[in-house]
Amino acid sequence: MKRIFLISSVLLIACSLSVLSANKNKWKPLFGTNLSDANYNPEVWSEKDGVLGAIKDESIWTTTEYENFELDLEFKTDEATNSGVVVYCTDTKNWIPNSVEIQIADDHSEHFKNAKPYEKCGAIYGHLGANKDKVVKKPGEWNHMHIKCEGQHITVTLNGQKVTEMDMSKWTSGTTNPDGTKIPSWLPKPFAELPTKGFIGLQGKHGNSLIWFRNTKIRSL
């Protein structure tokens, strides 16, 4: 009888651990239901019919820090949109030098015609250009972006095409990229030294150009 009880207890524990693991790896809304898990200015950001947008150049942030995750979202650009998805942010008040930004841009506009590779859509801003040009759709059309972050390895897939793959450990300088190009002066921290756990954010409106997001979700790896 004791043996049967012991076996039952082991099976129960195993099932409980399996359920916990399944829940941990389950997709969930990035900012919770009705932005309940978001840190944002309600006078700037709003969500209507599942579409998230901003009227000023302010970011919206998760209230939780994440490491080792997959982030999935859709976005729609405006004419000359310049926005981004921010990961590994350790300081939301001074996020630019303390995070990694995946660029969102309207590559079809004149504004980005002569842009550097690392300023175009899907690039790791300031550090690594996307390997394909104009994968982003024209303004008004929805795009699908998938970002996988495993420690210092970041992979960006845009509209079904893998456009960027980075190993942060190779970025040992705060002034020069591994390919010899210059890093913008406002990004002085070597990526090799940045923490790989932090808040996740979305950039708002830049200039006169808007940006919209929907179906933003995340799951742990």
Side-chain angles (χ1 to χ4, degrees):
M1 192 71 179
K2 289 182 178 179
R3 184 178 178 183
I4 294 173
F5 178 76
L6 181 61
I7 293 173
S8 299
S9 298
V10 171
L11 289 173
L12 182 60
I13 292 171
C15 288
S16 298
L17 290 173
S18 178
V19 170
L20 287 172
S21 177
N23 288 336
K24 181 182 178 182
N25 297 326
K26 188 177 180 181
W27 288 104
K28 67 176 184 177
L30 178 64
F31 297 116
T33 304
N34 297 321
L35 305 182
S36 58
D37 296 331
N39 180 8
Y40 68 105
N41 182 348
E43 294 183 359
V44 173
W45 286 89
S46 61
E47 189 174 43
K48 184 178 180 181
D49 298 327
V51 177
L52 184 63
I55 59 172
K56 290 183 180 179
D57 185 8
E58 291 185 23
S59 298
I60 183 171
W61 300 98
T62 59
T63 56
T64 301
E65 292 182 276
Y66 290 95
E67 63 178 337
N68 297 324
F69 60 86
E70 286 183 280
L71 178 61
D72 200 86
L73 58 87
E74 292 179 272
F75 69 86
K76 181 170 63 175
T77 65
D78 193 4
E79 176 67 30
T81 284
N82 179 10
S83 183
V85 180
V86 183
V87 299
Y88 294 161
C89 179
T90 55
D91 183 349
T92 58
K93 300 296 182 183
N94 184 31
W95 66 266
I96 292 177
N98 294 295
S99 62
V100 176
E101 179 189 349
I102 294 90
Q103 174 78 332
I104 290 177
D106 172 22
D107 291 349
H108 302 277
S109 72
E110 281 294 316
H111 179 78
F112 287 98
K113 184 177 180 181
N114 298 314
K116 296 179 175 65
Y118 62 59
E119 294 175 326
K120 296 193 174 184
C121 201
I124 307 294
Y125 185 82
H127 294 81
L128 180 63
N131 58 31
K132 294 181 176 67
D133 192 26
K134 293 185 179 177
V135 177
V136 65
K137 297 177 183 179
K138 292 183 177 181
E141 299 182 56
W142 285 102
N143 298 270
H144 177 234
M145 178 177 277
H146 183 88
I147 302 168
K148 186 176 183 180
C149 296
E150 291 183 285
Q152 293 184 310
H153 296 269
I154 299 176
T155 304
V156 182
T157 303
L158 179 59
N159 293 326
Q161 299 186 55
K162 185 186 290 186
V163 293
T164 312
E165 195 161 10
M166 170 182 266
D167 178 356
M168 292 168 60
S169 68
K170 296 180 179 179
W171 271 258
T172 57
S173 170
T175 57
T176 307
N177 290 308
D179 65 0
T181 57
K182 296 296 181 182
I183 296 173
S185 60
W186 55 90
L187 299 170
K189 294 187 178 181
F191 271 10
E193 299 174 11
L194 287 182
T196 55
K197 179 180 180 179
F199 299 100
I200 297 173
L202 304 176
Q203 282 186 274
K205 177 185 177 183
H206 274 192
N208 296 318
S209 302
L210 297 168
I211 178 72
W212 298 270
F213 298 94
R214 70 181 184 185
N215 297 327
T216 56
K217 56 187 179 179
I218 191 168
R219 70 175 176 184
S220 299
L221 292 173

